[in-house]
Amino acid sequence: GNSVTQMEGPVTLSEEAFLTINCTYTATGYPSLFWYVQYPGEGLQLLLKATKADDKGSNKGFEATYRKETTSFHLEKGSVQVSDSAVYFCALTTGANNLFFGTGTRLTVIP
Amino acid sequence: DAGVIQSPRHEVTEMGQEVTLRCKPISGHNSLFWYRQTMMRGLELLIYFNNNVPIDDSGMPEDRFSAKMPNASFSTLKIQPSEPRDSAVYFCASTPAVVVTGELFFGEGSRLTVL
């Protein structure tokens, strides 16, 4: 079946620290992988995506590389800001009319 | 362009009452999804529609839940009768394609509290 496992939070970092949020997946076929972000009081919005192995998705200083050999799609950012405080969701689709989400990781960045 | 619009943003009701949540997808989008978010279970897909037709409602918790999409610009999620365990944030999302290949556009959610 299809599923996503991401590291449990919450994660608390100081401003300008390095961020890694781990995500691994199981999927039938060749999935596309996504990171979504949910800011307080808002709906989810797409942060970045990668559609095939070795692709790197990037946006707003965040990056994630599609690693087929380790079935992973870890989210990284070199220097986090207070405004990055949010819940981050890893997700995948195999094009079968659904998007499978992880449980979410809450990030809090303190000044 | 307007995004996905949900109403109400907040609803507080008493157990046993009927609750109706509403969603207006982005114009031109062909697929619509209803999700439920709770601390315990995270984000769960309840039902999705392609071209106004329900495709998969296997995530609907029980018969108390029903969803309709009478036209391309409107959908409802109804809970009757409501129970305290239905308290959650309910999200509607839409996407242009019939097949999910990319971005879902989420509304801001409807926070439901059942007392």
Side-chain angles (χ1 to χ4, degrees), chain A residues 32 34 36 38 41-44 46 49 89 93 95-99 101 103, chain B residues 9 33 35 37 43 45 48 50 91 98-104 106-108:
Chain A
S32 294
F34 307 84
Y36 277 76
Q38 183 180 26
E42 299 183 11
L44 283 71
L46 181 66
K49 67 179 181 181
F89 292 87
T93 183
N97 291 323
N98 197 356
L99 198 57
F101 286 93
T103 53
Chain B
R9 290 294 311 277
F33 302 76
Y35 283 88
Q37 186 179 40
L43 204 60
L45 177 67
Y48 72 90
N50 283 348
F91 287 102
V98 172
V99 175
V100 178
T101 59
E103 183 173 359
L104 290 189
F106 282 79
E108 294 184 322

PDB file of all heavy atoms in Angstrom, chain A residues 32 34 36 38 41-44 46 49 89 93 95-99 101 103, chain B residues 9 33 35 37 43 45 48 50 91 98-104 106-108:
ATOM      1  N   SER A  32       4.850  10.574  -6.911  1.00  0.00           N
ATOM      2  CA  SER A  32       5.321  11.951  -6.796  1.00  0.00           C
ATOM      3  C   SER A  32       5.276  12.314  -5.320  1.00  0.00           C
ATOM      4  O   SER A  32       4.393  11.869  -4.585  1.00  0.00           O
ATOM      5  CB  SER A  32       4.421  12.901  -7.589  1.00  0.00           C
ATOM      6  OG  SER A  32       4.504  12.637  -8.967  1.00  0.00           O
ATOM      7  N   PHE A  34       5.677  15.277  -2.082  1.00  0.00           N
ATOM      8  CA  PHE A  34       5.346  16.674  -1.794  1.00  0.00           C
ATOM      9  C   PHE A  34       5.656  17.001  -0.336  1.00  0.00           C
ATOM     10  O   PHE A  34       5.602  16.139   0.538  1.00  0.00           O
ATOM     11  CB  PHE A  34       3.850  16.935  -2.017  1.00  0.00           C
ATOM     12  CG  PHE A  34       3.345  16.525  -3.372  1.00  0.00           C
ATOM     13  CD1 PHE A  34       2.972  15.216  -3.626  1.00  0.00           C
ATOM     14  CD2 PHE A  34       3.239  17.449  -4.391  1.00  0.00           C
ATOM     15  CE1 PHE A  34       2.506  14.823  -4.877  1.00  0.00           C
ATOM     16  CE2 PHE A  34       2.772  17.077  -5.641  1.00  0.00           C
ATOM     17  CZ  PHE A  34       2.414  15.770  -5.881  1.00  0.00           C
ATOM     18  N   TYR A  36       3.919  19.860   2.186  1.00  0.00           N
ATOM     19  CA  TYR A  36       2.933  20.908   2.392  1.00  0.00           C
ATOM     20  C   TYR A  36       3.238  21.587   3.725  1.00  0.00           C
ATOM     21  O   TYR A  36       3.761  20.974   4.651  1.00  0.00           O
ATOM     22  CB  TYR A  36       1.515  20.327   2.444  1.00  0.00           C
ATOM     23  CG  TYR A  36       0.881  20.083   1.090  1.00  0.00           C
ATOM     24  CD1 TYR A  36       1.257  18.995   0.303  1.00  0.00           C
ATOM     25  CD2 TYR A  36      -0.101  20.939   0.611  1.00  0.00           C
ATOM     26  CE1 TYR A  36       0.666  18.778  -0.926  1.00  0.00           C
ATOM     27  CE2 TYR A  36      -0.702  20.724  -0.623  1.00  0.00           C
ATOM     28  CZ  TYR A  36      -0.303  19.641  -1.379  1.00  0.00           C
ATOM     29  OH  TYR A  36      -0.891  19.426  -2.600  1.00  0.00           O
ATOM     30  N   GLN A  38       1.430  24.159   6.792  1.00  0.00           N
ATOM     31  CA  GLN A  38       0.194  24.712   7.352  1.00  0.00           C
ATOM     32  C   GLN A  38       0.556  25.736   8.412  1.00  0.00           C
ATOM     33  O   GLN A  38       1.037  25.395   9.497  1.00  0.00           O
ATOM     34  CB  GLN A  38      -0.670  23.613   7.962  1.00  0.00           C
ATOM     35  CG  GLN A  38      -2.011  24.099   8.492  1.00  0.00           C
ATOM     36  CD  GLN A  38      -2.845  22.985   9.099  1.00  0.00           C
ATOM     37  OE1 GLN A  38      -2.319  21.983   9.569  1.00  0.00           O
ATOM     38  NE2 GLN A  38      -4.152  23.155   9.090  1.00  0.00           N
ATOM     39  N   GLY A  41      -3.892  28.629  11.801  1.00  0.00           N
ATOM     40  CA  GLY A  41      -5.199  29.119  11.392  1.00  0.00           C
ATOM     41  C   GLY A  41      -5.473  29.058   9.913  1.00  0.00           C
ATOM     42  O   GLY A  41      -6.494  29.598   9.441  1.00  0.00           O
ATOM     43  N   GLU A  42      -4.608  28.403   9.158  1.00  0.00           N
ATOM     44  CA  GLU A  42      -4.779  28.358   7.708  1.00  0.00           C
ATOM     45  C   GLU A  42      -4.867  26.926   7.209  1.00  0.00           C
ATOM     46  O   GLU A  42      -4.595  25.972   7.931  1.00  0.00           O
ATOM     47  CB  GLU A  42      -3.619  29.074   7.013  1.00  0.00           C
ATOM     48  CG  GLU A  42      -3.498  30.541   7.380  1.00  0.00           C
ATOM     49  CD  GLU A  42      -2.379  31.224   6.608  1.00  0.00           C
ATOM     50  OE1 GLU A  42      -1.841  30.617   5.656  1.00  0.00           O
ATOM     51  OE2 GLU A  42      -2.037  32.359   6.962  1.00  0.00           O
ATOM     52  N   GLY A  43      -5.245  26.790   5.947  1.00  0.00           N
ATOM     53  CA  GLY A  43      -5.219  25.480   5.313  1.00  0.00           C
ATOM     54  C   GLY A  43      -3.822  25.135   4.842  1.00  0.00           C
ATOM     55  O   GLY A  43      -2.900  25.936   4.917  1.00  0.00           O
ATOM     56  N   LEU A  44      -3.666  23.906   4.385  1.00  0.00           N
ATOM     57  CA  LEU A  44      -2.369  23.479   3.877  1.00  0.00           C
ATOM     58  C   LEU A  44      -2.084  24.138   2.541  1.00  0.00           C
ATOM     59  O   LEU A  44      -2.990  24.393   1.744  1.00  0.00           O
ATOM     60  CB  LEU A  44      -2.352  21.957   3.681  1.00  0.00           C
ATOM     61  CG  LEU A  44      -2.189  21.085   4.912  1.00  0.00           C
ATOM     62  CD1 LEU A  44      -3.425  21.094   5.785  1.00  0.00           C
ATOM     63  CD2 LEU A  44      -1.817  19.662   4.502  1.00  0.00           C
ATOM     64  N   LEU A  46       0.965  23.970  -0.746  1.00  0.00           N
ATOM     65  CA  LEU A  46       2.120  23.247  -1.274  1.00  0.00           C
ATOM     66  C   LEU A  46       3.388  24.056  -1.071  1.00  0.00           C
ATOM     67  O   LEU A  46       3.443  25.246  -1.394  1.00  0.00           O
ATOM     68  CB  LEU A  46       1.918  22.977  -2.762  1.00  0.00           C
ATOM     69  CG  LEU A  46       3.038  22.212  -3.456  1.00  0.00           C
ATOM     70  CD1 LEU A  46       3.127  20.794  -2.910  1.00  0.00           C
ATOM     71  CD2 LEU A  46       2.815  22.183  -4.976  1.00  0.00           C
ATOM     72  N   LYS A  49       7.766  20.130  -4.431  1.00  0.00           N
ATOM     73  CA  LYS A  49       7.437  18.786  -4.903  1.00  0.00           C
ATOM     74  C   LYS A  49       8.570  18.231  -5.758  1.00  0.00           C
ATOM     75  O   LYS A  49       9.430  18.987  -6.234  1.00  0.00           O
ATOM     76  CB  LYS A  49       6.146  18.801  -5.714  1.00  0.00           C
ATOM     77  CG  LYS A  49       6.241  19.545  -7.031  1.00  0.00           C
ATOM     78  CD  LYS A  49       4.920  19.476  -7.782  1.00  0.00           C
ATOM     79  CE  LYS A  49       5.016  20.200  -9.132  1.00  0.00           C
ATOM     80  NZ  LYS A  49       3.711  20.168  -9.866  1.00  0.00           N
ATOM     81  N   PHE A  89       3.871  18.830   6.410  1.00  0.00           N
ATOM     82  CA  PHE A  89       3.336  17.522   6.052  1.00  0.00           C
ATOM     83  C   PHE A  89       4.056  16.995   4.817  1.00  0.00           C
ATOM     84  O   PHE A  89       4.133  17.684   3.794  1.00  0.00           O
ATOM     85  CB  PHE A  89       1.846  17.623   5.717  1.00  0.00           C
ATOM     86  CG  PHE A  89       0.957  17.958   6.874  1.00  0.00           C
ATOM     87  CD1 PHE A  89       0.715  19.284   7.213  1.00  0.00           C
ATOM     88  CD2 PHE A  89       0.345  16.960   7.615  1.00  0.00           C
ATOM     89  CE1 PHE A  89      -0.110  19.612   8.273  1.00  0.00           C
ATOM     90  CE2 PHE A  89      -0.486  17.268   8.678  1.00  0.00           C
ATOM     91  CZ  PHE A  89      -0.717  18.598   9.007  1.00  0.00           C
ATOM     92  N   THR A  93       1.579  10.938  -3.974  1.00  0.00           N
ATOM     93  CA  THR A  93       0.506  10.450  -4.812  1.00  0.00           C
ATOM     94  C   THR A  93       1.085   9.536  -5.885  1.00  0.00           C
ATOM     95  O   THR A  93       2.209   9.748  -6.336  1.00  0.00           O
ATOM     96  CB  THR A  93      -0.284  11.588  -5.473  1.00  0.00           C
ATOM     97  OG1 THR A  93      -1.355  11.031  -6.230  1.00  0.00           O
ATOM     98  CG2 THR A  93       0.591  12.406  -6.407  1.00  0.00           C
ATOM     99  N   GLY A  95      -0.966   9.012  -8.462  1.00  0.00           N
ATOM    100  CA  GLY A  95      -1.864   9.358  -9.549  1.00  0.00           C
ATOM    101  C   GLY A  95      -3.174   8.610  -9.495  1.00  0.00           C
ATOM    102  O   GLY A  95      -3.931   8.618 -10.455  1.00  0.00           O
ATOM    103  N   ALA A  96      -3.429   7.989  -8.354  1.00  0.00           N
ATOM    104  CA  ALA A  96      -4.657   7.193  -8.221  1.00  0.00           C
ATOM    105  C   ALA A  96      -5.722   7.966  -7.457  1.00  0.00           C
ATOM    106  O   ALA A  96      -6.418   7.411  -6.628  1.00  0.00           O
ATOM    107  CB  ALA A  96      -4.353   5.879  -7.528  1.00  0.00           C
ATOM    108  N   ASN A  97      -5.806   9.263  -7.731  1.00  0.00           N
ATOM    109  CA  ASN A  97      -6.887  10.080  -7.182  1.00  0.00           C
ATOM    110  C   ASN A  97      -6.825  10.253  -5.678  1.00  0.00           C
ATOM    111  O   ASN A  97      -7.855  10.388  -5.036  1.00  0.00           O
ATOM    112  CB  ASN A  97      -8.256   9.511  -7.573  1.00  0.00           C
ATOM    113  CG  ASN A  97      -8.517   9.679  -9.053  1.00  0.00           C
ATOM    114  OD1 ASN A  97      -8.142  10.688  -9.641  1.00  0.00           O
ATOM    115  ND2 ASN A  97      -9.113   8.687  -9.652  1.00  0.00           N
ATOM    116  N   ASN A  98      -5.654  10.238  -5.102  1.00  0.00           N
ATOM    117  CA  ASN A  98      -5.555  10.548  -3.684  1.00  0.00           C
ATOM    118  C   ASN A  98      -4.157  11.048  -3.378  1.00  0.00           C
ATOM    119  O   ASN A  98      -3.211  10.795  -4.132  1.00  0.00           O
ATOM    120  CB  ASN A  98      -5.855   9.316  -2.829  1.00  0.00           C
ATOM    121  CG  ASN A  98      -6.158   9.686  -1.389  1.00  0.00           C
ATOM    122  OD1 ASN A  98      -6.082  10.852  -1.014  1.00  0.00           O
ATOM    123  ND2 ASN A  98      -6.477   8.697  -0.585  1.00  0.00           N
ATOM    124  N   LEU A  99      -4.083  11.775  -2.307  1.00  0.00           N
ATOM    125  CA  LEU A  99      -2.824  12.288  -1.807  1.00  0.00           C
ATOM    126  C   LEU A  99      -2.693  11.756  -0.387  1.00  0.00           C
ATOM    127  O   LEU A  99      -3.549  12.018   0.455  1.00  0.00           O
ATOM    128  CB  LEU A  99      -2.849  13.816  -1.823  1.00  0.00           C
ATOM    129  CG  LEU A  99      -1.546  14.591  -1.747  1.00  0.00           C
ATOM    130  CD1 LEU A  99      -0.610  14.208  -2.868  1.00  0.00           C
ATOM    131  CD2 LEU A  99      -1.855  16.081  -1.820  1.00  0.00           C
ATOM    132  N   PHE A 101      -1.050  11.702   3.148  1.00  0.00           N
ATOM    133  CA  PHE A 101      -0.306  12.622   4.001  1.00  0.00           C
ATOM    134  C   PHE A 101       0.317  11.897   5.189  1.00  0.00           C
ATOM    135  O   PHE A 101      -0.269  10.951   5.739  1.00  0.00           O
ATOM    136  CB  PHE A 101      -1.235  13.713   4.544  1.00  0.00           C
ATOM    137  CG  PHE A 101      -1.628  14.749   3.539  1.00  0.00           C
ATOM    138  CD1 PHE A 101      -2.793  14.610   2.798  1.00  0.00           C
ATOM    139  CD2 PHE A 101      -0.838  15.865   3.329  1.00  0.00           C
ATOM    140  CE1 PHE A 101      -3.158  15.572   1.870  1.00  0.00           C
ATOM    141  CE2 PHE A 101      -1.196  16.830   2.403  1.00  0.00           C
ATOM    142  CZ  PHE A 101      -2.356  16.686   1.673  1.00  0.00           C
ATOM    143  N   THR A 103       1.683  12.430   9.232  1.00  0.00           N
ATOM    144  CA  THR A 103       0.965  12.941  10.401  1.00  0.00           C
ATOM    145  C   THR A 103       1.296  14.390  10.727  1.00  0.00           C
ATOM    146  O   THR A 103       0.636  14.996  11.561  1.00  0.00           O
ATOM    147  CB  THR A 103       1.263  12.084  11.634  1.00  0.00           C
ATOM    148  OG1 THR A 103       2.682  11.996  11.784  1.00  0.00           O
ATOM    149  CG2 THR A 103       0.676  10.692  11.494  1.00  0.00           C
TER     150      THR A 103
ATOM    151  N   ARG B   9     -16.449  29.336   9.269  1.00  0.00           N
ATOM    152  CA  ARG B   9     -15.084  29.143   9.743  1.00  0.00           C
ATOM    153  C   ARG B   9     -15.073  28.465  11.103  1.00  0.00           C
ATOM    154  O   ARG B   9     -14.177  27.682  11.418  1.00  0.00           O
ATOM    155  CB  ARG B   9     -14.348  30.478   9.840  1.00  0.00           C
ATOM    156  CG  ARG B   9     -14.022  31.116   8.506  1.00  0.00           C
ATOM    157  CD  ARG B   9     -13.016  30.298   7.684  1.00  0.00           C
ATOM    158  NE  ARG B   9     -11.834  29.894   8.416  1.00  0.00           N
ATOM    159  CZ  ARG B   9     -10.772  30.650   8.618  1.00  0.00           C
ATOM    160  NH1 ARG B   9     -10.749  31.885   8.144  1.00  0.00           N
ATOM    161  NH2 ARG B   9      -9.729  30.185   9.288  1.00  0.00           N
ATOM    162  N   PHE B  33     -12.155  17.587  -2.656  1.00  0.00           N
ATOM    163  CA  PHE B  33     -11.844  16.667  -1.574  1.00  0.00           C
ATOM    164  C   PHE B  33     -12.316  17.248  -0.243  1.00  0.00           C
ATOM    165  O   PHE B  33     -12.210  18.454  -0.021  1.00  0.00           O
ATOM    166  CB  PHE B  33     -10.319  16.446  -1.467  1.00  0.00           C
ATOM    167  CG  PHE B  33      -9.678  15.926  -2.720  1.00  0.00           C
ATOM    168  CD1 PHE B  33      -9.443  16.758  -3.804  1.00  0.00           C
ATOM    169  CD2 PHE B  33      -9.291  14.601  -2.817  1.00  0.00           C
ATOM    170  CE1 PHE B  33      -8.847  16.276  -4.968  1.00  0.00           C
ATOM    171  CE2 PHE B  33      -8.688  14.114  -3.966  1.00  0.00           C
ATOM    172  CZ  PHE B  33      -8.472  14.952  -5.040  1.00  0.00           C
ATOM    173  N   TYR B  35     -11.432  16.723   3.773  1.00  0.00           N
ATOM    174  CA  TYR B  35     -10.526  16.128   4.754  1.00  0.00           C
ATOM    175  C   TYR B  35     -10.970  16.525   6.160  1.00  0.00           C
ATOM    176  O   TYR B  35     -11.565  17.574   6.365  1.00  0.00           O
ATOM    177  CB  TYR B  35      -9.093  16.642   4.559  1.00  0.00           C
ATOM    178  CG  TYR B  35      -8.328  16.038   3.401  1.00  0.00           C
ATOM    179  CD1 TYR B  35      -8.404  16.593   2.130  1.00  0.00           C
ATOM    180  CD2 TYR B  35      -7.507  14.928   3.587  1.00  0.00           C
ATOM    181  CE1 TYR B  35      -7.683  16.052   1.080  1.00  0.00           C
ATOM    182  CE2 TYR B  35      -6.783  14.380   2.534  1.00  0.00           C
ATOM    183  CZ  TYR B  35      -6.882  14.949   1.286  1.00  0.00           C
ATOM    184  OH  TYR B  35      -6.161  14.412   0.241  1.00  0.00           O
ATOM    185  N   GLN B  37      -9.231  16.940  10.085  1.00  0.00           N
ATOM    186  CA  GLN B  37      -7.962  17.007  10.804  1.00  0.00           C
ATOM    187  C   GLN B  37      -8.213  17.018  12.306  1.00  0.00           C
ATOM    188  O   GLN B  37      -8.928  17.880  12.826  1.00  0.00           O
ATOM    189  CB  GLN B  37      -7.169  18.257  10.410  1.00  0.00           C
ATOM    190  CG  GLN B  37      -5.779  18.319  11.025  1.00  0.00           C
ATOM    191  CD  GLN B  37      -5.022  19.558  10.597  1.00  0.00           C
ATOM    192  OE1 GLN B  37      -5.576  20.657  10.505  1.00  0.00           O
ATOM    193  NE2 GLN B  37      -3.736  19.398  10.309  1.00  0.00           N
ATOM    194  N   LEU B  43      -4.544  14.098   9.385  1.00  0.00           N
ATOM    195  CA  LEU B  43      -5.370  14.504   8.251  1.00  0.00           C
ATOM    196  C   LEU B  43      -5.940  13.256   7.581  1.00  0.00           C
ATOM    197  O   LEU B  43      -5.202  12.411   7.095  1.00  0.00           O
ATOM    198  CB  LEU B  43      -4.495  15.273   7.275  1.00  0.00           C
ATOM    199  CG  LEU B  43      -5.134  16.255   6.313  1.00  0.00           C
ATOM    200  CD1 LEU B  43      -5.865  17.351   7.064  1.00  0.00           C
ATOM    201  CD2 LEU B  43      -4.080  16.864   5.420  1.00  0.00           C
ATOM    202  N   LEU B  45      -8.678  11.697   4.687  1.00  0.00           N
ATOM    203  CA  LEU B  45      -9.552  11.932   3.546  1.00  0.00           C
ATOM    204  C   LEU B  45     -10.910  11.314   3.822  1.00  0.00           C
ATOM    205  O   LEU B  45     -11.006  10.131   4.132  1.00  0.00           O
ATOM    206  CB  LEU B  45      -8.955  11.334   2.279  1.00  0.00           C
ATOM    207  CG  LEU B  45      -9.822  11.451   1.028  1.00  0.00           C
ATOM    208  CD1 LEU B  45      -9.947  12.912   0.613  1.00  0.00           C
ATOM    209  CD2 LEU B  45      -9.238  10.625  -0.107  1.00  0.00           C
ATOM    210  N   TYR B  48     -13.961  12.170  -1.985  1.00  0.00           N
ATOM    211  CA  TYR B  48     -13.613  13.095  -3.051  1.00  0.00           C
ATOM    212  C   TYR B  48     -14.529  12.896  -4.251  1.00  0.00           C
ATOM    213  O   TYR B  48     -15.101  11.821  -4.459  1.00  0.00           O
ATOM    214  CB  TYR B  48     -12.139  13.022  -3.438  1.00  0.00           C
ATOM    215  CG  TYR B  48     -11.716  11.790  -4.182  1.00  0.00           C
ATOM    216  CD1 TYR B  48     -11.760  11.734  -5.577  1.00  0.00           C
ATOM    217  CD2 TYR B  48     -11.218  10.686  -3.497  1.00  0.00           C
ATOM    218  CE1 TYR B  48     -11.338  10.610  -6.245  1.00  0.00           C
ATOM    219  CE2 TYR B  48     -10.791   9.567  -4.179  1.00  0.00           C
ATOM    220  CZ  TYR B  48     -10.854   9.534  -5.551  1.00  0.00           C
ATOM    221  OH  TYR B  48     -10.436   8.406  -6.227  1.00  0.00           O
ATOM    222  N   ASN B  50     -15.009  13.723  -8.518  1.00  0.00           N
ATOM    223  CA  ASN B  50     -14.486  14.118  -9.828  1.00  0.00           C
ATOM    224  C   ASN B  50     -15.662  14.552 -10.686  1.00  0.00           C
ATOM    225  O   ASN B  50     -16.621  13.796 -10.852  1.00  0.00           O
ATOM    226  CB  ASN B  50     -13.766  12.954 -10.520  1.00  0.00           C
ATOM    227  CG  ASN B  50     -12.393  12.717  -9.964  1.00  0.00           C
ATOM    228  OD1 ASN B  50     -11.852  13.525  -9.218  1.00  0.00           O
ATOM    229  ND2 ASN B  50     -11.801  11.593 -10.328  1.00  0.00           N
ATOM    230  N   PHE B  91     -11.477  20.344   6.247  1.00  0.00           N
ATOM    231  CA  PHE B  91     -10.917  21.078   5.119  1.00  0.00           C
ATOM    232  C   PHE B  91     -11.530  20.588   3.817  1.00  0.00           C
ATOM    233  O   PHE B  91     -11.747  19.396   3.617  1.00  0.00           O
ATOM    234  CB  PHE B  91      -9.399  20.876   5.033  1.00  0.00           C
ATOM    235  CG  PHE B  91      -8.624  21.593   6.092  1.00  0.00           C
ATOM    236  CD1 PHE B  91      -8.127  20.920   7.190  1.00  0.00           C
ATOM    237  CD2 PHE B  91      -8.385  22.957   5.973  1.00  0.00           C
ATOM    238  CE1 PHE B  91      -7.401  21.581   8.166  1.00  0.00           C
ATOM    239  CE2 PHE B  91      -7.658  23.629   6.942  1.00  0.00           C
ATOM    240  CZ  PHE B  91      -7.174  22.937   8.039  1.00  0.00           C
ATOM    241  N   VAL B  98      -8.519  15.700 -13.023  1.00  0.00           N
ATOM    242  CA  VAL B  98      -9.322  14.585 -12.526  1.00  0.00           C
ATOM    243  C   VAL B  98      -8.425  13.615 -11.772  1.00  0.00           C
ATOM    244  O   VAL B  98      -8.811  13.033 -10.766  1.00  0.00           O
ATOM    245  CB  VAL B  98     -10.037  13.874 -13.695  1.00  0.00           C
ATOM    246  CG1 VAL B  98     -10.705  12.595 -13.223  1.00  0.00           C
ATOM    247  CG2 VAL B  98     -11.054  14.811 -14.313  1.00  0.00           C
ATOM    248  N   VAL B  99      -7.214  13.433 -12.271  1.00  0.00           N
ATOM    249  CA  VAL B  99      -6.237  12.585 -11.592  1.00  0.00           C
ATOM    250  C   VAL B  99      -5.333  13.469 -10.754  1.00  0.00           C
ATOM    251  O   VAL B  99      -4.860  14.507 -11.225  1.00  0.00           O
ATOM    252  CB  VAL B  99      -5.394  11.795 -12.609  1.00  0.00           C
ATOM    253  CG1 VAL B  99      -4.309  11.000 -11.912  1.00  0.00           C
ATOM    254  CG2 VAL B  99      -6.289  10.890 -13.426  1.00  0.00           C
ATOM    255  N   VAL B 100      -5.096  13.078  -9.523  1.00  0.00           N
ATOM    256  CA  VAL B 100      -4.273  13.890  -8.621  1.00  0.00           C
ATOM    257  C   VAL B 100      -2.812  13.720  -9.004  1.00  0.00           C
ATOM    258  O   VAL B 100      -2.213  12.673  -8.744  1.00  0.00           O
ATOM    259  CB  VAL B 100      -4.497  13.492  -7.157  1.00  0.00           C
ATOM    260  CG1 VAL B 100      -3.583  14.331  -6.253  1.00  0.00           C
ATOM    261  CG2 VAL B 100      -5.944  13.696  -6.759  1.00  0.00           C
ATOM    262  N   THR B 101      -2.258  14.720  -9.645  1.00  0.00           N
ATOM    263  CA  THR B 101      -0.851  14.642 -10.024  1.00  0.00           C
ATOM    264  C   THR B 101      -0.022  15.721  -9.375  1.00  0.00           C
ATOM    265  O   THR B 101       1.187  15.748  -9.522  1.00  0.00           O
ATOM    266  CB  THR B 101      -0.708  14.781 -11.548  1.00  0.00           C
ATOM    267  OG1 THR B 101      -1.270  16.032 -11.939  1.00  0.00           O
ATOM    268  CG2 THR B 101      -1.396  13.638 -12.266  1.00  0.00           C
ATOM    269  N   GLY B 102      -0.664  16.612  -8.681  1.00  0.00           N
ATOM    270  CA  GLY B 102       0.101  17.732  -8.157  1.00  0.00           C
ATOM    271  C   GLY B 102      -0.562  18.417  -7.000  1.00  0.00           C
ATOM    272  O   GLY B 102      -0.903  17.785  -6.012  1.00  0.00           O
ATOM    273  N   GLU B 103      -0.757  19.681  -7.143  1.00  0.00           N
ATOM    274  CA  GLU B 103      -1.119  20.510  -6.019  1.00  0.00           C
ATOM    275  C   GLU B 103      -2.602  20.455  -5.713  1.00  0.00           C
ATOM    276  O   GLU B 103      -3.445  20.601  -6.586  1.00  0.00           O
ATOM    277  CB  GLU B 103      -0.716  21.942  -6.320  1.00  0.00           C
ATOM    278  CG  GLU B 103      -0.957  22.919  -5.205  1.00  0.00           C
ATOM    279  CD  GLU B 103      -0.364  24.280  -5.531  1.00  0.00           C
ATOM    280  OE1 GLU B 103       0.237  24.413  -6.615  1.00  0.00           O
ATOM    281  OE2 GLU B 103      -0.511  25.185  -4.700  1.00  0.00           O
ATOM    282  N   LEU B 104      -2.902  20.254  -4.432  1.00  0.00           N
ATOM    283  CA  LEU B 104      -4.244  20.462  -3.933  1.00  0.00           C
ATOM    284  C   LEU B 104      -4.309  21.866  -3.345  1.00  0.00           C
ATOM    285  O   LEU B 104      -3.392  22.301  -2.656  1.00  0.00           O
ATOM    286  CB  LEU B 104      -4.599  19.456  -2.837  1.00  0.00           C
ATOM    287  CG  LEU B 104      -4.804  17.993  -3.217  1.00  0.00           C
ATOM    288  CD1 LEU B 104      -5.364  17.231  -2.030  1.00  0.00           C
ATOM    289  CD2 LEU B 104      -5.708  17.856  -4.411  1.00  0.00           C
ATOM    290  N   PHE B 106      -6.162  24.094  -0.754  1.00  0.00           N
ATOM    291  CA  PHE B 106      -6.994  23.932   0.435  1.00  0.00           C
ATOM    292  C   PHE B 106      -7.688  25.238   0.819  1.00  0.00           C
ATOM    293  O   PHE B 106      -7.120  26.332   0.672  1.00  0.00           O
ATOM    294  CB  PHE B 106      -6.140  23.486   1.628  1.00  0.00           C
ATOM    295  CG  PHE B 106      -5.781  22.033   1.616  1.00  0.00           C
ATOM    296  CD1 PHE B 106      -4.757  21.562   0.810  1.00  0.00           C
ATOM    297  CD2 PHE B 106      -6.472  21.129   2.405  1.00  0.00           C
ATOM    298  CE1 PHE B 106      -4.418  20.218   0.798  1.00  0.00           C
ATOM    299  CE2 PHE B 106      -6.139  19.785   2.408  1.00  0.00           C
ATOM    300  CZ  PHE B 106      -5.120  19.328   1.605  1.00  0.00           C
ATOM    301  N   GLY B 107      -8.892  25.081   1.354  1.00  0.00           N
ATOM    302  CA  GLY B 107      -9.538  26.198   2.027  1.00  0.00           C
ATOM    303  C   GLY B 107      -8.958  26.388   3.418  1.00  0.00           C
ATOM    304  O   GLY B 107      -8.073  25.640   3.840  1.00  0.00           O
ATOM    305  N   GLU B 108      -9.473  27.380   4.120  1.00  0.00           N
ATOM    306  CA  GLU B 108      -8.948  27.699   5.444  1.00  0.00           C
ATOM    307  C   GLU B 108      -9.535  26.821   6.531  1.00  0.00           C
ATOM    308  O   GLU B 108      -9.106  26.884   7.674  1.00  0.00           O
ATOM    309  CB  GLU B 108      -9.178  29.171   5.759  1.00  0.00           C
ATOM    310  CG  GLU B 108      -8.381  30.094   4.851  1.00  0.00           C
ATOM    311  CD  GLU B 108      -8.544  31.541   5.222  1.00  0.00           C
ATOM    312  OE1 GLU B 108      -9.651  31.956   5.592  1.00  0.00           O
ATOM    313  OE2 GLU B 108      -7.534  32.283   5.140  1.00  0.00           O
TER     314      GLU B 108
END
